[in-house]
Amino acid sequence: MADPMYRQIAEDLRRQIEAGELPPGAQLRTELELREKYNASRNTIRDAIKWLITRGLVETRPGQGTFVIETIVPYVTSLTGNPTTASGGEGTSYKPEVEARFRKASDTLPQVGIEEAAEPMATEMALAEGTSVVSRHQQRYIDGTPWSLQTSFYPMDLVQKGAVRLIQAGDITEGTVAYLRESAGIKQAGYRDTITVRAPDMNETAFFRLPDDGRISVVEQRRTAYSDDGRPVRLTVSVYPADRNQFSVVVGQVPDNARVPDSPPSPAAAPESGGG
Amino acid sequence: MADPMYRQIAEDLRRQIEAGELPPGAQLRTELELREKYNASRNTIRDAIKWLITRGLVETRPGQGTFVIETIVPYVTSLTGNPTTASGGEGTSYKPEVEARFRKASDTLPQVGIEEAAEPMATEMALAEGTSVVSRHQQRYIDGTPWSLQTSFYPMDLVQKGAVRLIQAGDITEGTVAYLRESAGIKQAGYRDTITVRAPDMNETAFFRLPDDGRISVVEQRRTAYSDDGRPVRLTVSVYPADRNQFSVVVGQVPDNARVPDSPPSPAAAPESGGG
DNA sequence: GGGTATTTGTCCGTATGTATT
DNA sequence: AAATACATACGGACAAATACC
């Protein structure tokens, strides 16, 4: 009984949700009803609900009520693949990869721009600050839901070497990895991803339609691709909301039938650990 | 002026923080002082501060005040490595890998247990539900701070095949990958990681000393390792708090001097994107 | 160790605004 | 237009944690 009242109320509701008594999508009783049930003030009820909101268990809709969050079927992006072709969320392979999993993919045409390299991009691409780079930006959807944002940067001298379609807004249907090889003789030898989880910025919150209290984080993947002479040829920054994305990494020999699960491991099923 | 007052107050404080007028560690004015400055009630000031808290910008300490969050230097875990030895956060390579980056690593002795396989573990390890598995659990620290939790599961029949040290509490200093090869003739051929971002459970919140409002998520990595005959030999579940960890994936040929950055890309420096 | 001032945490009540049905 | 339900904002009171003397 050491816990404050709003926590006890929140834990009681949480228990009901996790026990399935309040299934996803179910409506909770109104604040006034809960106020009577728990014999607390409306503000205390609201404190309890806020606690549930920050844990992603419920959401409130003005004029409607409070509802148990409905889970999203995550999409699994593979981070490993053949580095000399396209893969791991790169270019042309996006749509077929998604649709192989019976989901509808769509994306916007690349928005092309020319920028000056600034930190930390300049260091990651081994360019002097202020060097011109081409940026190509795309928004991606799965089943009509905004799913990821991707911006690729290329050193401007690739255009001079023949890769002129980089600065045109159209799709490069064969994939930029193949296009750079054919047009400029750049052979991609490998890439390195750096993956960070952080809070979404305002643009991301708006595009992904995330709750604007920042409780859902995004995964930022920064992929630096290198040519066979060891020079960076591309930086691709992809941003994925954490509530609808998973990732997989495959190293070595793995049997084909070992499928990636289609739903996230539930916290309750994870090994109970810690607290030492 | 469409924004509610608490938001305007919060945005003003946020601006000061992001402009550096309130550097990390700095103390904000007290709720009563802010109340006078913004001509609002204390509860409205508190709503503004709560908004900043959920965005990870400030923290409150009862009896002391409100402070700008101090950033943590993240540790970068590599998810790719040589699958036939130890790597990618596996076993014996943990300490040397961490200390190569001039940081102090420590971990607890493995806590060994025997459990019955339940879902989703049974499916991931291709075992019938109820089959016995050995679990080995460790807690890991960097620079004295709790950094990750790791539990590995092995089918019990590996013990019968000779890997008896799996069920002993001591460290397997040569690494379990090497030990399984020597003792039971199991050659690890590869692995698959599935990576999910989710809210921490209560054990994790306590062990990692996370704020108990759940605003910092954890990264859950489930690694299924396969032997050369294509059978799962191990499931390792690692949990990392998102505020102090980054990950890297390397595929193909990448130059050595391309170092992973030691600090996270700041949201401000990320390419501005999104927004329909 | 004790006492006091300071600061945030919890809880109450009330009034009014806004979104939805 | 009316009813319902959540959102914002005010005010007050006391508790709990911390720092300082």
PDB file of all heavy atoms in Angstrom, chain A residues 55 189 191-193 195-196 203 212 246-247 249 251 253 258 272-273, chain B residues 55 189 191-193 195-196 203 212 226 246-247 249 251 253 258 272-273:
ATOM      1  N   ARG A  55       2.841   4.386 -21.146  1.00  0.00           N
ATOM      2  CA  ARG A  55       3.305   3.020 -21.377  1.00  0.00           C
ATOM      3  C   ARG A  55       2.711   2.410 -22.627  1.00  0.00           C
ATOM      4  O   ARG A  55       2.883   1.220 -22.884  1.00  0.00           O
ATOM      5  CB  ARG A  55       2.976   2.162 -20.168  1.00  0.00           C
ATOM      6  CG  ARG A  55       4.017   2.332 -19.111  1.00  0.00           C
ATOM      7  CD  ARG A  55       3.541   1.904 -17.772  1.00  0.00           C
ATOM      8  NE  ARG A  55       4.530   2.318 -16.786  1.00  0.00           N
ATOM      9  CZ  ARG A  55       4.729   3.561 -16.437  1.00  0.00           C
ATOM     10  NH1 ARG A  55       4.016   4.501 -16.957  1.00  0.00           N
ATOM     11  NH2 ARG A  55       5.674   3.876 -15.568  1.00  0.00           N
ATOM     12  N   ALA A 189      30.980  -2.224 -52.580  1.00  0.00           N
ATOM     13  CA  ALA A 189      31.620  -3.405 -52.007  1.00  0.00           C
ATOM     14  C   ALA A 189      31.007  -3.811 -50.675  1.00  0.00           C
ATOM     15  O   ALA A 189      31.101  -4.967 -50.272  1.00  0.00           O
ATOM     16  CB  ALA A 189      33.109  -3.142 -51.803  1.00  0.00           C
ATOM     17  N   TYR A 191      28.646  -2.162 -46.887  1.00  0.00           N
ATOM     18  CA  TYR A 191      28.083  -1.022 -46.171  1.00  0.00           C
ATOM     19  C   TYR A 191      28.143  -1.263 -44.680  1.00  0.00           C
ATOM     20  O   TYR A 191      28.306  -2.389 -44.214  1.00  0.00           O
ATOM     21  CB  TYR A 191      26.644  -0.731 -46.612  1.00  0.00           C
ATOM     22  CG  TYR A 191      25.676  -1.881 -46.467  1.00  0.00           C
ATOM     23  CD1 TYR A 191      25.139  -2.205 -45.220  1.00  0.00           C
ATOM     24  CD2 TYR A 191      25.273  -2.627 -47.567  1.00  0.00           C
ATOM     25  CE1 TYR A 191      24.240  -3.232 -45.079  1.00  0.00           C
ATOM     26  CE2 TYR A 191      24.367  -3.666 -47.434  1.00  0.00           C
ATOM     27  CZ  TYR A 191      23.856  -3.958 -46.180  1.00  0.00           C
ATOM     28  OH  TYR A 191      22.965  -4.990 -46.042  1.00  0.00           O
ATOM     29  N   ARG A 192      28.030  -0.162 -43.960  1.00  0.00           N
ATOM     30  CA  ARG A 192      27.941  -0.243 -42.513  1.00  0.00           C
ATOM     31  C   ARG A 192      26.706   0.526 -42.064  1.00  0.00           C
ATOM     32  O   ARG A 192      26.486   1.672 -42.456  1.00  0.00           O
ATOM     33  CB  ARG A 192      29.176   0.385 -41.864  1.00  0.00           C
ATOM     34  CG  ARG A 192      29.133   0.346 -40.342  1.00  0.00           C
ATOM     35  CD  ARG A 192      30.020   1.391 -39.718  1.00  0.00           C
ATOM     36  NE  ARG A 192      31.357   1.362 -40.290  1.00  0.00           N
ATOM     37  CZ  ARG A 192      32.307   0.554 -39.884  1.00  0.00           C
ATOM     38  NH1 ARG A 192      32.071  -0.274 -38.894  1.00  0.00           N
ATOM     39  NH2 ARG A 192      33.475   0.584 -40.461  1.00  0.00           N
ATOM     40  N   ASP A 193      25.888  -0.118 -41.258  1.00  0.00           N
ATOM     41  CA  ASP A 193      24.734   0.541 -40.662  1.00  0.00           C
ATOM     42  C   ASP A 193      25.046   0.909 -39.222  1.00  0.00           C
ATOM     43  O   ASP A 193      25.651   0.117 -38.489  1.00  0.00           O
ATOM     44  CB  ASP A 193      23.528  -0.407 -40.631  1.00  0.00           C
ATOM     45  CG  ASP A 193      22.903  -0.604 -41.991  1.00  0.00           C
ATOM     46  OD1 ASP A 193      23.277   0.132 -42.924  1.00  0.00           O
ATOM     47  OD2 ASP A 193      22.035  -1.486 -42.116  1.00  0.00           O
ATOM     48  N   ILE A 195      22.745   2.054 -35.989  1.00  0.00           N
ATOM     49  CA  ILE A 195      21.327   2.065 -35.626  1.00  0.00           C
ATOM     50  C   ILE A 195      21.152   2.688 -34.253  1.00  0.00           C
ATOM     51  O   ILE A 195      21.812   2.289 -33.286  1.00  0.00           O
ATOM     52  CB  ILE A 195      20.769   0.627 -35.647  1.00  0.00           C
ATOM     53  CG1 ILE A 195      20.789   0.132 -37.094  1.00  0.00           C
ATOM     54  CG2 ILE A 195      19.371   0.570 -35.072  1.00  0.00           C
ATOM     55  CD1 ILE A 195      20.895  -1.352 -37.217  1.00  0.00           C
ATOM     56  N   THR A 196      20.293   3.675 -34.197  1.00  0.00           N
ATOM     57  CA  THR A 196      20.035   4.412 -32.970  1.00  0.00           C
ATOM     58  C   THR A 196      18.536   4.487 -32.738  1.00  0.00           C
ATOM     59  O   THR A 196      17.774   4.603 -33.687  1.00  0.00           O
ATOM     60  CB  THR A 196      20.576   5.855 -33.094  1.00  0.00           C
ATOM     61  OG1 THR A 196      21.902   5.816 -33.586  1.00  0.00           O
ATOM     62  CG2 THR A 196      20.542   6.573 -31.766  1.00  0.00           C
ATOM     63  N   ASN A 203       8.705  16.746 -37.622  1.00  0.00           N
ATOM     64  CA  ASN A 203       8.346  16.247 -38.947  1.00  0.00           C
ATOM     65  C   ASN A 203       7.939  14.779 -38.892  1.00  0.00           C
ATOM     66  O   ASN A 203       6.954  14.371 -39.509  1.00  0.00           O
ATOM     67  CB  ASN A 203       9.544  16.381 -39.898  1.00  0.00           C
ATOM     68  CG  ASN A 203       9.684  17.789 -40.414  1.00  0.00           C
ATOM     69  OD1 ASN A 203       8.692  18.441 -40.713  1.00  0.00           O
ATOM     70  ND2 ASN A 203      10.912  18.261 -40.508  1.00  0.00           N
ATOM     71  N   ASP A 212       1.650  13.000 -30.169  1.00  0.00           N
ATOM     72  CA  ASP A 212       2.662  14.051 -30.080  1.00  0.00           C
ATOM     73  C   ASP A 212       3.255  14.182 -28.688  1.00  0.00           C
ATOM     74  O   ASP A 212       3.896  15.184 -28.396  1.00  0.00           O
ATOM     75  CB  ASP A 212       2.128  15.374 -30.626  1.00  0.00           C
ATOM     76  CG  ASP A 212       1.245  16.095 -29.643  1.00  0.00           C
ATOM     77  OD1 ASP A 212       0.952  15.533 -28.562  1.00  0.00           O
ATOM     78  OD2 ASP A 212       0.840  17.201 -29.932  1.00  0.00           O
ATOM     79  N   GLN A 246      10.188  -4.048 -37.176  1.00  0.00           N
ATOM     80  CA  GLN A 246      11.199  -4.902 -36.584  1.00  0.00           C
ATOM     81  C   GLN A 246      12.314  -5.056 -37.605  1.00  0.00           C
ATOM     82  O   GLN A 246      12.132  -4.731 -38.777  1.00  0.00           O
ATOM     83  CB  GLN A 246      10.631  -6.287 -36.273  1.00  0.00           C
ATOM     84  CG  GLN A 246       9.806  -6.369 -35.029  1.00  0.00           C
ATOM     85  CD  GLN A 246       9.304  -7.787 -34.828  1.00  0.00           C
ATOM     86  OE1 GLN A 246       8.268  -8.182 -35.342  1.00  0.00           O
ATOM     87  NE2 GLN A 246      10.061  -8.570 -34.082  1.00  0.00           N
ATOM     88  N   PHE A 247      13.438  -5.587 -37.152  1.00  0.00           N
ATOM     89  CA  PHE A 247      14.581  -5.727 -38.038  1.00  0.00           C
ATOM     90  C   PHE A 247      15.173  -7.111 -37.878  1.00  0.00           C
ATOM     91  O   PHE A 247      15.076  -7.719 -36.824  1.00  0.00           O
ATOM     92  CB  PHE A 247      15.625  -4.644 -37.718  1.00  0.00           C
ATOM     93  CG  PHE A 247      15.055  -3.269 -37.832  1.00  0.00           C
ATOM     94  CD1 PHE A 247      14.452  -2.656 -36.747  1.00  0.00           C
ATOM     95  CD2 PHE A 247      15.058  -2.604 -39.042  1.00  0.00           C
ATOM     96  CE1 PHE A 247      13.876  -1.402 -36.861  1.00  0.00           C
ATOM     97  CE2 PHE A 247      14.482  -1.351 -39.172  1.00  0.00           C
ATOM     98  CZ  PHE A 247      13.899  -0.755 -38.074  1.00  0.00           C
ATOM     99  N   VAL A 249      18.742  -9.522 -38.820  1.00  0.00           N
ATOM    100  CA  VAL A 249      20.125  -9.586 -39.264  1.00  0.00           C
ATOM    101  C   VAL A 249      20.456 -11.052 -39.431  1.00  0.00           C
ATOM    102  O   VAL A 249      20.217 -11.846 -38.522  1.00  0.00           O
ATOM    103  CB  VAL A 249      21.076  -8.945 -38.222  1.00  0.00           C
ATOM    104  CG1 VAL A 249      22.532  -9.217 -38.570  1.00  0.00           C
ATOM    105  CG2 VAL A 249      20.810  -7.454 -38.108  1.00  0.00           C
ATOM    106  N   VAL A 251      23.550 -13.702 -40.419  1.00  0.00           N
ATOM    107  CA  VAL A 251      24.984 -13.857 -40.622  1.00  0.00           C
ATOM    108  C   VAL A 251      25.276 -15.337 -40.767  1.00  0.00           C
ATOM    109  O   VAL A 251      24.777 -16.150 -39.985  1.00  0.00           O
ATOM    110  CB  VAL A 251      25.780 -13.259 -39.436  1.00  0.00           C
ATOM    111  CG1 VAL A 251      27.260 -13.582 -39.561  1.00  0.00           C
ATOM    112  CG2 VAL A 251      25.570 -11.751 -39.364  1.00  0.00           C
ATOM    113  N   GLN A 253      25.346 -19.159 -42.334  1.00  0.00           N
ATOM    114  CA  GLN A 253      24.402 -20.069 -42.972  1.00  0.00           C
ATOM    115  C   GLN A 253      23.210 -20.298 -42.065  1.00  0.00           C
ATOM    116  O   GLN A 253      23.352 -20.748 -40.938  1.00  0.00           O
ATOM    117  CB  GLN A 253      25.116 -21.399 -43.267  1.00  0.00           C
ATOM    118  CG  GLN A 253      24.582 -22.107 -44.481  1.00  0.00           C
ATOM    119  CD  GLN A 253      24.830 -21.290 -45.749  1.00  0.00           C
ATOM    120  OE1 GLN A 253      25.853 -20.608 -45.858  1.00  0.00           O
ATOM    121  NE2 GLN A 253      23.883 -21.339 -46.679  1.00  0.00           N
ATOM    122  N   ALA A 258      13.621 -21.324 -41.486  1.00  0.00           N
ATOM    123  CA  ALA A 258      13.595 -20.591 -40.223  1.00  0.00           C
ATOM    124  C   ALA A 258      13.080 -19.191 -40.486  1.00  0.00           C
ATOM    125  O   ALA A 258      13.834 -18.274 -40.746  1.00  0.00           O
ATOM    126  CB  ALA A 258      14.987 -20.552 -39.599  1.00  0.00           C
ATOM    127  N   GLU A 272      12.063 -13.580 -17.937  1.00  0.00           N
ATOM    128  CA  GLU A 272      12.107 -12.620 -16.837  1.00  0.00           C
ATOM    129  C   GLU A 272      13.504 -12.617 -16.257  1.00  0.00           C
ATOM    130  O   GLU A 272      14.077 -13.645 -15.941  1.00  0.00           O
ATOM    131  CB  GLU A 272      11.079 -12.984 -15.765  1.00  0.00           C
ATOM    132  CG  GLU A 272       9.669 -12.629 -16.182  1.00  0.00           C
ATOM    133  CD  GLU A 272       9.558 -11.181 -16.691  1.00  0.00           C
ATOM    134  OE1 GLU A 272      10.318 -10.323 -16.235  1.00  0.00           O
ATOM    135  OE2 GLU A 272       8.708 -10.936 -17.560  1.00  0.00           O
ATOM    136  N   SER A 273      14.035 -11.433 -16.144  1.00  0.00           N
ATOM    137  CA  SER A 273      15.450 -11.324 -15.832  1.00  0.00           C
ATOM    138  C   SER A 273      15.670 -10.076 -15.015  1.00  0.00           C
ATOM    139  O   SER A 273      14.746  -9.380 -14.640  1.00  0.00           O
ATOM    140  CB  SER A 273      16.228 -11.250 -17.134  1.00  0.00           C
ATOM    141  OG  SER A 273      15.593 -10.341 -18.007  1.00  0.00           O
TER     142      SER A 273
ATOM    143  N   ARG B  55       9.575  13.931 -23.218  1.00  0.00           N
ATOM    144  CA  ARG B  55      10.466  14.052 -24.373  1.00  0.00           C
ATOM    145  C   ARG B  55      11.923  13.867 -24.004  1.00  0.00           C
ATOM    146  O   ARG B  55      12.812  14.077 -24.831  1.00  0.00           O
ATOM    147  CB  ARG B  55      10.260  15.393 -25.039  1.00  0.00           C
ATOM    148  CG  ARG B  55       9.074  15.341 -25.953  1.00  0.00           C
ATOM    149  CD  ARG B  55       8.520  16.676 -26.279  1.00  0.00           C
ATOM    150  NE  ARG B  55       7.262  16.502 -26.987  1.00  0.00           N
ATOM    151  CZ  ARG B  55       6.144  16.084 -26.405  1.00  0.00           C
ATOM    152  NH1 ARG B  55       6.133  15.813 -25.137  1.00  0.00           N
ATOM    153  NH2 ARG B  55       5.048  15.933 -27.115  1.00  0.00           N
ATOM    154  N   ALA B 189      26.936 -22.491 -37.619  1.00  0.00           N
ATOM    155  CA  ALA B 189      27.099 -22.076 -39.016  1.00  0.00           C
ATOM    156  C   ALA B 189      26.612 -20.658 -39.259  1.00  0.00           C
ATOM    157  O   ALA B 189      27.042 -20.013 -40.219  1.00  0.00           O
ATOM    158  CB  ALA B 189      26.334 -23.039 -39.929  1.00  0.00           C
ATOM    159  N   TYR B 191      23.641 -17.295 -37.702  1.00  0.00           N
ATOM    160  CA  TYR B 191      22.571 -16.907 -36.776  1.00  0.00           C
ATOM    161  C   TYR B 191      21.676 -15.875 -37.432  1.00  0.00           C
ATOM    162  O   TYR B 191      22.028 -15.242 -38.425  1.00  0.00           O
ATOM    163  CB  TYR B 191      23.143 -16.353 -35.464  1.00  0.00           C
ATOM    164  CG  TYR B 191      24.082 -15.186 -35.585  1.00  0.00           C
ATOM    165  CD1 TYR B 191      23.583 -13.895 -35.806  1.00  0.00           C
ATOM    166  CD2 TYR B 191      25.456 -15.345 -35.455  1.00  0.00           C
ATOM    167  CE1 TYR B 191      24.434 -12.813 -35.903  1.00  0.00           C
ATOM    168  CE2 TYR B 191      26.317 -14.275 -35.558  1.00  0.00           C
ATOM    169  CZ  TYR B 191      25.799 -13.007 -35.777  1.00  0.00           C
ATOM    170  OH  TYR B 191      26.650 -11.933 -35.868  1.00  0.00           O
ATOM    171  N   ARG B 192      20.505 -15.765 -36.834  1.00  0.00           N
ATOM    172  CA  ARG B 192      19.566 -14.739 -37.263  1.00  0.00           C
ATOM    173  C   ARG B 192      19.135 -13.930 -36.047  1.00  0.00           C
ATOM    174  O   ARG B 192      18.740 -14.479 -35.021  1.00  0.00           O
ATOM    175  CB  ARG B 192      18.336 -15.373 -37.902  1.00  0.00           C
ATOM    176  CG  ARG B 192      17.315 -14.331 -38.394  1.00  0.00           C
ATOM    177  CD  ARG B 192      15.925 -14.912 -38.517  1.00  0.00           C
ATOM    178  NE  ARG B 192      15.906 -16.136 -39.276  1.00  0.00           N
ATOM    179  CZ  ARG B 192      15.873 -16.177 -40.604  1.00  0.00           C
ATOM    180  NH1 ARG B 192      15.833 -15.072 -41.297  1.00  0.00           N
ATOM    181  NH2 ARG B 192      15.869 -17.336 -41.216  1.00  0.00           N
ATOM    182  N   ASP B 193      19.235 -12.615 -36.168  1.00  0.00           N
ATOM    183  CA  ASP B 193      18.755 -11.728 -35.111  1.00  0.00           C
ATOM    184  C   ASP B 193      17.416 -11.135 -35.516  1.00  0.00           C
ATOM    185  O   ASP B 193      17.236 -10.746 -36.672  1.00  0.00           O
ATOM    186  CB  ASP B 193      19.728 -10.557 -34.901  1.00  0.00           C
ATOM    187  CG  ASP B 193      20.992 -10.970 -34.177  1.00  0.00           C
ATOM    188  OD1 ASP B 193      21.041 -12.102 -33.672  1.00  0.00           O
ATOM    189  OD2 ASP B 193      21.918 -10.143 -34.128  1.00  0.00           O
ATOM    190  N   ILE B 195      15.155  -7.965 -34.153  1.00  0.00           N
ATOM    191  CA  ILE B 195      15.337  -6.822 -33.273  1.00  0.00           C
ATOM    192  C   ILE B 195      14.028  -6.055 -33.157  1.00  0.00           C
ATOM    193  O   ILE B 195      13.414  -5.684 -34.160  1.00  0.00           O
ATOM    194  CB  ILE B 195      16.456  -5.924 -33.816  1.00  0.00           C
ATOM    195  CG1 ILE B 195      17.781  -6.683 -33.714  1.00  0.00           C
ATOM    196  CG2 ILE B 195      16.526  -4.610 -33.055  1.00  0.00           C
ATOM    197  CD1 ILE B 195      18.796  -6.260 -34.718  1.00  0.00           C
ATOM    198  N   THR B 196      13.620  -5.842 -31.931  1.00  0.00           N
ATOM    199  CA  THR B 196      12.360  -5.162 -31.641  1.00  0.00           C
ATOM    200  C   THR B 196      12.624  -4.057 -30.629  1.00  0.00           C
ATOM    201  O   THR B 196      13.441  -4.224 -29.735  1.00  0.00           O
ATOM    202  CB  THR B 196      11.340  -6.153 -31.039  1.00  0.00           C
ATOM    203  OG1 THR B 196      11.308  -7.322 -31.833  1.00  0.00           O
ATOM    204  CG2 THR B 196       9.968  -5.535 -30.947  1.00  0.00           C
ATOM    205  N   ASN B 203      11.073  -5.588 -14.333  1.00  0.00           N
ATOM    206  CA  ASN B 203      12.427  -6.025 -14.000  1.00  0.00           C
ATOM    207  C   ASN B 203      13.472  -5.173 -14.694  1.00  0.00           C
ATOM    208  O   ASN B 203      14.471  -4.773 -14.100  1.00  0.00           O
ATOM    209  CB  ASN B 203      12.625  -7.485 -14.443  1.00  0.00           C
ATOM    210  CG  ASN B 203      12.012  -8.444 -13.461  1.00  0.00           C
ATOM    211  OD1 ASN B 203      12.093  -8.229 -12.258  1.00  0.00           O
ATOM    212  ND2 ASN B 203      11.387  -9.485 -13.976  1.00  0.00           N
ATOM    213  N   ASP B 212      10.574   5.370 -14.158  1.00  0.00           N
ATOM    214  CA  ASP B 212       9.509   4.368 -14.192  1.00  0.00           C
ATOM    215  C   ASP B 212       8.280   4.847 -14.954  1.00  0.00           C
ATOM    216  O   ASP B 212       7.219   4.225 -14.848  1.00  0.00           O
ATOM    217  CB  ASP B 212       9.175   3.864 -12.797  1.00  0.00           C
ATOM    218  CG  ASP B 212       8.300   4.808 -12.019  1.00  0.00           C
ATOM    219  OD1 ASP B 212       7.984   5.912 -12.533  1.00  0.00           O
ATOM    220  OD2 ASP B 212       7.937   4.479 -10.923  1.00  0.00           O
ATOM    221  N   TYR B 226      22.333 -21.382 -35.470  1.00  0.00           N
ATOM    222  CA  TYR B 226      22.113 -22.673 -36.115  1.00  0.00           C
ATOM    223  C   TYR B 226      23.440 -23.406 -36.280  1.00  0.00           C
ATOM    224  O   TYR B 226      24.486 -22.791 -36.541  1.00  0.00           O
ATOM    225  CB  TYR B 226      21.461 -22.493 -37.489  1.00  0.00           C
ATOM    226  CG  TYR B 226      20.093 -21.862 -37.410  1.00  0.00           C
ATOM    227  CD1 TYR B 226      19.951 -20.474 -37.408  1.00  0.00           C
ATOM    228  CD2 TYR B 226      18.960 -22.653 -37.307  1.00  0.00           C
ATOM    229  CE1 TYR B 226      18.690 -19.884 -37.311  1.00  0.00           C
ATOM    230  CE2 TYR B 226      17.705 -22.082 -37.211  1.00  0.00           C
ATOM    231  CZ  TYR B 226      17.576 -20.703 -37.217  1.00  0.00           C
ATOM    232  OH  TYR B 226      16.337 -20.140 -37.112  1.00  0.00           O
ATOM    233  N   GLN B 246      23.837   1.775 -29.063  1.00  0.00           N
ATOM    234  CA  GLN B 246      23.669   1.835 -30.505  1.00  0.00           C
ATOM    235  C   GLN B 246      24.132   0.507 -31.074  1.00  0.00           C
ATOM    236  O   GLN B 246      24.795  -0.266 -30.385  1.00  0.00           O
ATOM    237  CB  GLN B 246      24.528   2.949 -31.102  1.00  0.00           C
ATOM    238  CG  GLN B 246      23.951   4.331 -30.984  1.00  0.00           C
ATOM    239  CD  GLN B 246      24.890   5.340 -31.615  1.00  0.00           C
ATOM    240  OE1 GLN B 246      25.860   5.778 -31.017  1.00  0.00           O
ATOM    241  NE2 GLN B 246      24.611   5.695 -32.845  1.00  0.00           N
ATOM    242  N   PHE B 247      23.817   0.281 -32.330  1.00  0.00           N
ATOM    243  CA  PHE B 247      24.161  -0.990 -32.944  1.00  0.00           C
ATOM    244  C   PHE B 247      24.765  -0.744 -34.312  1.00  0.00           C
ATOM    245  O   PHE B 247      24.452   0.248 -34.970  1.00  0.00           O
ATOM    246  CB  PHE B 247      22.914  -1.876 -33.056  1.00  0.00           C
ATOM    247  CG  PHE B 247      22.277  -2.120 -31.725  1.00  0.00           C
ATOM    248  CD1 PHE B 247      21.312  -1.249 -31.241  1.00  0.00           C
ATOM    249  CD2 PHE B 247      22.688  -3.166 -30.926  1.00  0.00           C
ATOM    250  CE1 PHE B 247      20.750  -1.439 -29.985  1.00  0.00           C
ATOM    251  CE2 PHE B 247      22.142  -3.357 -29.672  1.00  0.00           C
ATOM    252  CZ  PHE B 247      21.162  -2.492 -29.206  1.00  0.00           C
ATOM    253  N   VAL B 249      25.887  -2.739 -38.086  1.00  0.00           N
ATOM    254  CA  VAL B 249      25.798  -3.909 -38.955  1.00  0.00           C
ATOM    255  C   VAL B 249      26.772  -3.664 -40.098  1.00  0.00           C
ATOM    256  O   VAL B 249      26.727  -2.599 -40.725  1.00  0.00           O
ATOM    257  CB  VAL B 249      24.362  -4.088 -39.509  1.00  0.00           C
ATOM    258  CG1 VAL B 249      24.336  -5.159 -40.596  1.00  0.00           C
ATOM    259  CG2 VAL B 249      23.396  -4.428 -38.394  1.00  0.00           C
ATOM    260  N   VAL B 251      28.223  -5.283 -43.671  1.00  0.00           N
ATOM    261  CA  VAL B 251      28.017  -6.288 -44.704  1.00  0.00           C
ATOM    262  C   VAL B 251      29.000  -6.001 -45.832  1.00  0.00           C
ATOM    263  O   VAL B 251      29.137  -4.845 -46.255  1.00  0.00           O
ATOM    264  CB  VAL B 251      26.566  -6.267 -45.231  1.00  0.00           C
ATOM    265  CG1 VAL B 251      26.404  -7.203 -46.422  1.00  0.00           C
ATOM    266  CG2 VAL B 251      25.592  -6.660 -44.122  1.00  0.00           C
ATOM    267  N   GLN B 253      32.550  -5.591 -47.871  1.00  0.00           N
ATOM    268  CA  GLN B 253      33.879  -5.048 -47.626  1.00  0.00           C
ATOM    269  C   GLN B 253      33.761  -3.581 -47.213  1.00  0.00           C
ATOM    270  O   GLN B 253      33.237  -2.756 -47.962  1.00  0.00           O
ATOM    271  CB  GLN B 253      34.711  -5.165 -48.903  1.00  0.00           C
ATOM    272  CG  GLN B 253      36.187  -5.378 -48.631  1.00  0.00           C
ATOM    273  CD  GLN B 253      36.443  -6.659 -47.859  1.00  0.00           C
ATOM    274  OE1 GLN B 253      35.756  -7.659 -48.047  1.00  0.00           O
ATOM    275  NE2 GLN B 253      37.414  -6.631 -46.936  1.00  0.00           N
ATOM    276  N   ALA B 258      37.027   3.409 -41.378  1.00  0.00           N
ATOM    277  CA  ALA B 258      35.682   3.979 -41.260  1.00  0.00           C
ATOM    278  C   ALA B 258      35.114   3.596 -39.903  1.00  0.00           C
ATOM    279  O   ALA B 258      34.467   2.575 -39.749  1.00  0.00           O
ATOM    280  CB  ALA B 258      34.782   3.457 -42.380  1.00  0.00           C
ATOM    281  N   GLU B 272      16.223  16.800 -42.329  1.00  0.00           N
ATOM    282  CA  GLU B 272      14.817  17.099 -42.086  1.00  0.00           C
ATOM    283  C   GLU B 272      14.002  16.525 -43.214  1.00  0.00           C
ATOM    284  O   GLU B 272      14.269  16.750 -44.392  1.00  0.00           O
ATOM    285  CB  GLU B 272      14.598  18.606 -41.961  1.00  0.00           C
ATOM    286  CG  GLU B 272      15.067  19.142 -40.622  1.00  0.00           C
ATOM    287  CD  GLU B 272      14.540  18.325 -39.438  1.00  0.00           C
ATOM    288  OE1 GLU B 272      13.433  17.771 -39.507  1.00  0.00           O
ATOM    289  OE2 GLU B 272      15.263  18.228 -38.433  1.00  0.00           O
ATOM    290  N   SER B 273      13.032  15.791 -42.844  1.00  0.00           N
ATOM    291  CA  SER B 273      12.324  15.003 -43.833  1.00  0.00           C
ATOM    292  C   SER B 273      10.875  14.937 -43.442  1.00  0.00           C
ATOM    293  O   SER B 273      10.430  15.545 -42.499  1.00  0.00           O
ATOM    294  CB  SER B 273      12.937  13.613 -43.874  1.00  0.00           C
ATOM    295  OG  SER B 273      13.109  13.133 -42.553  1.00  0.00           O
TER     296      SER B 273
END
